[in-house]
Amino acid sequence: MAYRPPLLTTTHTALARPAPNTTDDYERWYTEASPNNRMLLSLRSGIPSEIAWAFDRLCRLCNNEQFLFRSIPGLTNTLFEWPEWYIAQNAADSFKLSSLFAMPSSEERKRRHGLEALCIMRNAAAVNDANAEELVNHRKAIHLILSALHNVQPDSDENVEFLLYVTDLFQYIAPTYTLPPASAPQTISPLLPLLDLIRRTPNRSLIVSSLTCLYLLFSNPANSSRLTANSPALSASLLYLPLLSDRVLVDVCINYLYAHLSHPSMAKAFLHHPDMPSTLNLLVTQMLSEQIEDTVSIDIGGPTHTAPAQAVLIKDHELSKEELDGLIALPEPQRCYEWMKLMFVAKPDGELTQVDFWNLYKDVFVPYQDQYHLLVASDVIKNVNVVFPQAQAMVLPGPPQKFVVRGVDRRKDDRSNERFKCLWNRSECNSPPSSSASELYEHILEHISSVEEHGQNCSWATCPREPLPKLNLRAHVLTHLPSVQPPSKHPTQSDTITLPSPQHVYPVSNPTTRPVPPLKTTLSVKKPVADPPSSSLTALLCIRILFRISFTSVEAAPRVDADHFGFPGLIEEDEGMEAPEDSGLSDSEQEGQRRGRRAFSRIRRLLEGVQIRDETLMGWITEMIQSQSQSQSRYRASGLTRAGSCLLLWLVTFYNERPVCIKICYNVSEVVRGTFYNTFWKVAN
Ligand SMILES: [Zn+2]
Ligand SMILES: [Zn+2]
């Protein structure tokens, strides 16, 4: 409905005011802080169209964070009028026939205003804490909530909406609200209608809201005496817990469960609940579903040693075929002299072992020793001085002694131009490598010029090209020229070479002789990357509570008296999972613990998948997993069933005439265990 400006305005005041904010919902006349605020006056006017206009404005304004109830004195009080009427009508069953017959329009309107008024309160409280405080402290608030809970039934859409607003408002009061004792008249307690609501409504929002009210109520220790083991709220939270994808609903269920289990007697009673094992399972599943993990690789191998990769451009000279042919037939010692001149150069700080020297000679000439005389090793070494007068054969003192020839070194070949080597005549061309690609091309053209006019095969290395005319052959050989840049590496090839040890020399002339480096071992493990959300933590608290009450008596020391020195291992077990004797618990409690431990042993695998970044919380998980393996092996031992299993030995010593129990755990074989038992039983007696 359009706003009608006030009739009385003077040019005077209009000029004196700052420029009005005309943004929607921020106009001065809506938020004017005075008892004669136009909306308040409209509400109180009793004129239906005015009231409707005011509610329309307020419904929009209540979502504005600047909207404050206390800035319009009297507004809160006035707003309560319509919901109160709504409740009174419900109490009198006046709406009963509304689903069948149309209501009078005036009632229909008032009913709508009742819903609107609550909606305004609820929204205003949600966007601004000051509004929530104002409502909570209002004298009519708790009465309105209680009478609504008791008189409005969730049997129509309007009533469900009404109850939703009421329960939402009650959430601001619930944390500090103390429930009246069970003996007091229940009309002044919100507990029964809330439980009834949970049991009856299928509406998700209403379930979430009323369950929230309940867990807030029971988070207050003063109210825990009103908890019951078969509460409909517990059944509801167990019923909706499996809806893991509905985070909001599951969150509320877990919160209620935690409030319920926080009371020790409720937790003990819950161990007997038929849904207890599946609930434990769900709580762990919930934690797993909210787990944020990342896979990390951990290197557990030793350190790796690398060296920057480099190409071997300088190499020791090897005899070419021509050089060898020229040498073989020469008479000794002339042959040895010529061989040395080809293979070695004088180098004052150079050094070669005499063995290397002899081996090099021997490897070349031994194949021809049948036809041509071979020198003995000592002669070869002596000849070094003839060819290289400044070189000297000497013995380096050890240990170990080294026999070397100093002053010579291997002749080196520069291999940097190797890629410009001509491979014509099927790699037989013996001209030295060219210095560049263009020089090589000039050289190849010389080969081609001798080719006959009608053409021939390409003679480059192993080129399979079919015969080509001379002209085309010139173009074809261009494909064999190396690129000006050195060949690029494969993208996966690293810039470093992995060496077997830091002492290893790199580069070596023959890379295939380099030993294989030690194996690199990496482990891939999953690690939590973020802290779990609060619902996971609450789930963990619930699991922890159940764990503590299921396992308490296992750690409790057995009572020691004249007859019993506390050998729990001597009780024969059928189940293999029973509390030790004398734990001071009633049969029902022992049965509950047995159920609890059985349930925990079933979720052990699931628990092992839980990862939490916080060490303390992770410690809880580890404790749960470990205590089960301990209790299992302990009970196995007590059943005397398995050789070598864990023996729990209660060694009794007498100290000041009073028995002191020392618990010792031994991992011993059946035989040894029997001996131990006999020995200590005798000692103890
Ligand atoms: Zn050539
Ligand atoms: Zn070719």
Side-chain angles (χ1 to χ4, degrees):
M1 194 164 292
Y3 170 67
R4 286 150 296 169
L7 294 170
L8 296 171
T9 44
T10 62
T11 30
H12 248 74
T13 47
L15 281 174
R17 283 182 201 133
N21 183 352
T22 50
T23 322
D24 263 0
D25 303 335
Y26 286 86
E27 298 99 327
R28 178 189 53 78
W29 47 79
Y30 297 136
T31 48
E32 201 166 49
S34 74
N36 56 359
N37 176 290
R38 187 169 169 78
M39 288 182 301
L40 182 58
L41 292 179
S42 295
L43 282 180
R44 285 175 170 171
S45 68
I47 305 165
S49 60
E50 287 289 331
I51 296 172
W53 172 81
F55 272 117
D56 187 49
R57 295 311 315 170
L58 284 169
C59 281
R60 287 187 60 171
L61 274 174
C62 65
N63 291 317
N64 183 332
E65 73 288 349
Q66 291 187 6
F67 175 73
L68 284 175
F69 280 131
R70 65 162 176 250
S71 66
I72 310 176
L75 178 62
T76 325
N77 206 26
T78 314
L79 278 177
F80 274 104
E81 230 170 78
W82 284 270
E84 279 169 352
W85 176 86
Y86 188 104
I87 296 165
Q89 293 294 304
N90 258 286
D93 274 352
S94 303
F95 292 156
K96 218 168 189 180
L97 297 175
S98 65
S99 55
L100 290 175
F101 304 105
M103 287 164 68
S105 63
S106 61
E107 282 203 7
E108 176 76 57
R109 199 166 50 233
K110 278 181 100 174
R111 197 172 148 176
R112 199 179 66 236
H113 291 335
L115 287 171
E116 282 170 345
L118 271 185
C119 176
I120 290 161
M121 293 186 203
R122 179 219 173 263
N123 286 357
V127 294
N128 199 322
D129 287 343
N131 287 335
E133 208 177 311
E134 162 109 8
L135 285 172
V136 164
N137 295 326
H138 197 277
R139 63 192 162 81
K140 287 183 176 178
I142 191 66
H143 176 258
L144 176 93
I145 289 167
L146 285 177
S147 58
L149 287 174
H150 280 281
N151 294 310
V152 182
Q153 302 304 320
D155 46 14
S156 69
D157 287 350
E158 287 82 4
N159 283 3
V160 167
E161 187 183 344
F162 193 88
L163 284 169
L164 181 59
Y165 296 145
V166 167
T167 45
D168 277 357
L169 279 177
F170 186 54
Q171 288 173 20
Y172 295 102
I173 304 177
T176 51
Y177 187 84
T178 311
L179 289 169
S183 53
Q186 289 310 302
T187 47
I188 57 161
S189 164
L191 183 58
L192 289 184
L194 276 174
L195 292 176
D196 198 45
L197 208 53
I198 292 267
R199 191 167 40 210
R200 288 177 59 188
T201 183
N203 183 295
R204 174 188 170 276
S205 305
L206 197 51
I207 293 167
V208 170
S209 182
S210 43
L211 205 51
T212 307
C213 289
L214 285 165
Y215 93 67
L216 289 173
L217 275 177
F218 289 122
S219 304
N220 183 353
N223 293 329
S224 55
S225 62
R226 302 297 309 276
L227 280 164
T228 50
N230 54 356
S231 157
L234 178 65
S235 315
S237 38
L238 297 185
L239 180 66
Y240 303 123
L241 194 59
L243 304 175
L244 289 181
S245 56
D246 189 342
R247 289 278 156 96
V248 180
L249 184 58
V250 169
D251 202 22
V252 177
C253 291
I254 294 178
N255 279 331
Y256 179 79
L257 205 57
Y258 176 60
H260 185 92
L261 294 177
S262 297
H263 198 262
S265 64
M266 289 301 119
K268 278 180 188 164
F270 187 68
L271 288 182
H272 294 276
H273 198 287
D275 287 339
M276 182 271 295
S278 54
T279 306
L280 261 183
N281 207 315
L282 275 171
L283 289 172
V284 184
T285 313
Q286 207 275 343
M287 293 183 71
L288 288 172
S289 74
E290 291 190 323
Q291 198 155 288
I292 310 159
E293 285 181 326
D294 201 15
T295 309
V296 207
S297 296
I298 303 172
D299 192 350
I300 55 164
T304 49
H305 311 284
T306 55
Q310 26 180 291
V312 184
L313 297 177
I314 309 257
K315 260 187 154 179
D316 287 340
H317 178 71
E318 299 290 343
L319 281 184
S320 69
K321 194 171 181 307
E322 291 73 37
E323 287 169 337
L324 183 62
D325 290 344
L327 284 176
I328 291 170
L330 289 177
E332 287 291 3
Q334 195 59 38
R335 183 173 75 169
C336 183
Y337 297 158
E338 292 305 320
W339 171 77
M340 279 185 189
K341 283 176 192 163
L342 284 170
M343 292 291 285
F344 303 93
V345 288
K347 187 178 172 192
D349 58 343
E351 193 177 282
L352 274 164
T353 63
Q354 297 184 7
V355 177
D356 284 346
F357 221 99
W358 164 242
N359 283 342
L360 282 167
Y361 174 86
K362 192 181 70 176
D363 290 348
V364 177
F365 298 112
V366 161
Y368 309 100
Q369 63 180 342
D370 297 341
Q371 295 154 275
Y372 306 104
H373 169 67
L374 194 66
L375 289 181
V376 294
S378 57
D379 288 340
V380 173
I381 302 302
K382 264 184 231 154
N383 285 340
V384 179
N385 270 105
V386 181
V387 183
F388 304 104
Q390 71 281 36
Q392 227 178 342
M394 52 167 63
V395 181
L396 296 180
Q401 277 188 336
K402 252 172 105 184
F403 294 83
V404 298
V405 179
R406 179 158 290 175
V408 291
D409 198 3
R410 290 285 298 269
R411 183 183 292 277
K412 303 290 180 187
D413 286 341
D414 185 355
R415 303 281 291 266
S416 55
N417 284 333
E418 198 85 322
R419 60 203 187 94
F420 298 124
K421 175 99 176 73
C422 170
L423 300 182
W424 200 256
N425 280 339
R426 304 290 170 212
S427 311
E428 296 277 297
C429 173
N430 50 19
S431 63
S434 311
S435 60
S436 68
S438 57
E439 197 179 294
L440 176 60
Y441 185 55
E442 294 297 326
H443 171 78
I444 301 169
L445 290 182
E446 283 169 28
H447 285 298
I448 294 178
S449 62
S450 63
V451 167
E452 285 164 39
E453 243 0 276
H454 63 269
Q456 68 162 62
N457 287 349
C458 169
S459 315
W460 187 269
T462 56
C463 178
R465 185 77 203 206
E466 72 277 9
L468 286 167
K470 199 168 175 176
L471 200 66
N472 295 10
L473 202 55
R474 283 204 184 100
H476 166 77
V477 289
L478 285 171
T479 63
H480 295 301
L481 293 183
S483 70
V484 182
Q485 298 298 322
S488 63
K489 272 192 300 191
H490 190 272
T492 59
Q493 196 178 346
S494 115
D495 285 336
T496 54
I497 301 290
T498 309
L499 302 180
S501 69
Q503 293 80 33
H504 196 84
V505 186
Y506 175 82
V508 286
S509 55
N510 185 359
T512 58
T513 58
R514 190 170 56 227
V516 181
L519 266 183
K520 199 175 149 112
T521 316
T522 51
L523 279 183
S524 282
V525 286
K526 285 195 165 176
K527 272 196 165 176
V529 286
D531 288 323
S534 66
S535 50
S536 280
L537 295 177
T538 319
L540 177 59
L541 284 172
C542 294
I543 301 171
R544 171 102 170 147
I545 291 174
L546 292 174
F547 170 75
R548 295 299 290 254
I549 54 162
S550 301
F551 283 82
T552 37
S553 72
V554 177
E555 295 312 316
R559 200 171 60 233
V560 180
D561 57 29
D563 300 327
H564 298 95
F565 291 102
F567 264 90
L570 297 177
I571 309 157
E572 281 290 338
E573 302 285 356
D574 298 330
E575 281 276 318
M577 295 284 279
E578 196 158 315
E581 224 182 16
D582 299 339
S583 53
L585 296 173
S586 70
D587 285 350
S588 151
E589 281 173 326
Q590 286 193 22
E591 172 59 24
Q593 292 196 333
R594 217 171 289 139
R595 283 174 53 86
R597 285 196 291 273
R598 224 174 288 142
F600 268 97
S601 75
R602 278 186 211 128
I603 59 160
R604 192 181 151 186
R605 284 260 165 269
L606 274 180
L607 272 176
E608 283 170 352
V610 176
Q611 295 271 356
I612 303 178
R613 203 160 63 162
D614 185 284
E615 277 180 24
T616 316
L617 299 181
M618 196 57 218
W620 291 5
I621 302 281
T622 325
E623 187 192 347
M624 290 182 211
I625 298 168
Q626 283 176 351
S627 70
Q628 282 172 69
S629 43
Q630 276 170 14
S631 75
Q632 274 171 11
S633 44
R634 171 178 168 164
Y635 287 116
R636 251 180 237 127
S638 64
L640 297 181
T641 49
R642 222 173 73 182
S645 66
C646 186
L647 166 68
L648 189 77
L649 186 64
W650 291 91
L651 174 64
V652 183
T653 54
F654 287 87
Y655 175 72
N656 282 351
E657 294 183 326
R658 289 179 64 191
V660 177
C661 287
I662 303 166
K663 196 171 81 178
I664 306 169
C665 227
Y666 282 104
N667 224 343
V668 286
S669 74
E670 187 90 10
V671 179
V672 180
R673 198 166 45 155
T675 321
F676 264 62
Y677 160 63
N678 288 331
T679 313
F680 287 108
W681 190 242
K682 277 169 198 156
V683 169
N685 280 295

